[in-house]
Amino acid sequence: MEKNDLIILNDLIYHVYDSAPVRDREEMLLNGLVRALSCAYGSILHSGSVQNGAPVFSDPVCVPESFLPAEEAYLRISQDDHMLWSSMAGHENVARESEWLTPAKRRQTRIYTVCYEPFHVYDTLQTNLFDGARLLGTLSLYRTRQQGEFSDEDVFFMHLLSSHLVRLLKEREKRQNPSMAITRERIDKLCRAHDLTPRESQILQLLLTGKEDELVARELSISEGTLRKHVQHIYRKLGIRARRQLLPLLTGDESPDEN
């Protein structure tokens, strides 16, 4: 990495830890990234829930603000996104759309024609940000044909920045809903302590919402039989026998009463 690139990276990281409101920092960060990586547009989509096994995004932050209609349209049809798999990987990843589809095929997708064709988008660089196995959100950068495709160096640059971006989105979550953030921190700690897989961690979070097994299975697009097998593995790892014993684990009682 060139010295100038390191200076730019340090400037961007500074915005993450600034004292400004979180949304202002997100906008400053996007502005800096758009300039640094020679992009036309940038956005952050926040993830708060899962539906039919796929993330549901909301509250887009866009630079420039005129790009907001593109991401608002995306929110309505995100289930059609051929890149959605990268948001379901369970770990941080940076993906270039040009690696997976030719320009001709990209222009034929519904996502492109509805959302991005009016803005002449040619290539997308998407960074998915996870806290453990939980998706916090996605930062995307967009280039026009004149700006060309994203490079390996661009991917590497975003990998270096991603851990700092995770911290920013976690701070946003805590400020918006402190009680939910604390609960999620406890859940993540429990999952790490008992070596739960990303899928098991996702199921555990849904179980703690109080949803019936039928609804959990439907949300994950799996059968109830498959869900029961996952739940058995989770209970075995946690050393419990019933769902009612989950809450005591989160409140610090590792030996809940089984009676």
Side-chain angles (χ1 to χ4, degrees):
M1 177 175 281
E2 300 290 336
K3 182 178 179 180
N4 188 54
D5 293 331
L6 289 173
I7 293 173
I8 293 172
L9 182 63
N10 285 333
D11 287 343
L12 291 171
I13 291 173
Y14 171 79
H15 291 314
V16 174
Y17 300 97
D18 193 3
S19 59
V22 172
R23 192 175 186 88
D24 290 350
R25 279 182 275 164
E26 289 179 330
E27 291 177 355
M28 288 188 289
L29 184 66
L30 284 173
N31 271 306
L33 278 170
V34 165
R35 291 194 301 270
L37 298 187
S38 301
C39 305
Y41 316 103
S43 73
I44 296 175
L45 302 180
H46 303 94
S47 175
S49 62
V50 176
Q51 184 176 340
N52 296 325
V56 176
F57 295 103
S58 63
D59 192 21
V61 179
C62 297
V63 168
E65 192 174 354
S66 59
F67 190 65
L68 185 60
E71 296 299 46
E72 289 178 334
Y74 175 85
L75 297 182
R76 294 192 291 270
I77 61 171
S78 61
Q79 301 299 312
D80 292 341
D81 187 3
H82 53 279
M83 294 285 288
L84 199 61
W85 62 267
S86 61
S87 302
M88 302 162 63
H91 57 81
E92 177 263 324
N93 59 81
V94 183
R96 285 175 288 178
E97 192 172 22
S98 54
E99 273 192 300
W100 302 99
L101 290 178
T102 64
K105 288 186 177 180
R106 292 202 299 270
R107 288 195 295 270
Q108 294 172 3
T109 64
R110 186 181 180 216
I111 289 289
Y112 179 81
T113 56
V114 173
C115 307
Y116 303 124
E117 185 174 30
F119 293 87
H120 310 291
V121 168
Y122 182 69
D123 196 13
T124 305
L125 183 67
Q126 180 175 298
T127 305
N128 296 290
L129 305 165
F130 287 82
D131 179 26
R134 179 170 57 86
L135 180 68
L136 294 171
T138 295
L139 188 152
S140 299
L141 299 172
Y142 302 90
R143 282 181 175 169
T144 62
R145 178 183 291 274
Q146 291 73 22
Q147 293 164 331
E149 295 180 351
F150 287 97
S151 66
D152 291 341
E153 289 75 15
D154 298 325
V155 172
F156 179 64
F157 189 92
M158 291 306 300
H159 273 300
L160 293 178
L161 190 59
S162 61
S163 62
H164 302 282
L165 298 174
V166 166
R167 178 163 181 153
L168 182 61
L169 295 195
K170 285 176 68 175
E171 182 180 345
R172 172 189 179 273
E173 183 178 78
K174 288 180 181 179
R175 291 178 181 274
Q176 286 200 334
N177 194 337
S179 61
M180 181 179 68
I182 292 171
T183 300
R184 283 183 169 176
E185 285 183 359
R186 290 175 178 171
I187 294 172
D188 291 341
K189 183 178 179 180
L190 185 70
C191 293
R192 289 193 298 269
H194 295 272
D195 197 28
L196 267 62
T197 66
R199 188 59 154 177
E200 290 168 348
S201 300
Q202 184 183 27
I203 290 172
L204 177 61
Q205 292 180 42
L206 291 172
L207 293 178
L208 287 165
T209 64
K211 293 181 179 178
E212 297 296 330
D213 288 357
E214 180 183 358
L215 293 178
V216 173
R218 188 184 308 164
E219 189 162 327
L220 295 172
S221 298
I222 60 177
S223 69
E224 289 189 60
T226 300
L227 176 64
R228 282 194 292 272
K229 290 180 181 178
H230 282 301
V231 171
Q232 288 172 2
H233 292 156
I234 293 169
Y235 287 177
R236 186 176 68 250
K237 288 183 178 182
L238 297 180
I240 62 176
R241 297 180 181 177
R243 190 187 293 203
R244 67 177 180 276
Q245 295 174 269
L246 288 173
L247 201 54
L249 288 178
L250 289 173
T251 57
D253 181 1
E254 293 290 339
S255 301
D257 183 6
E258 297 182 5
N259 296 322

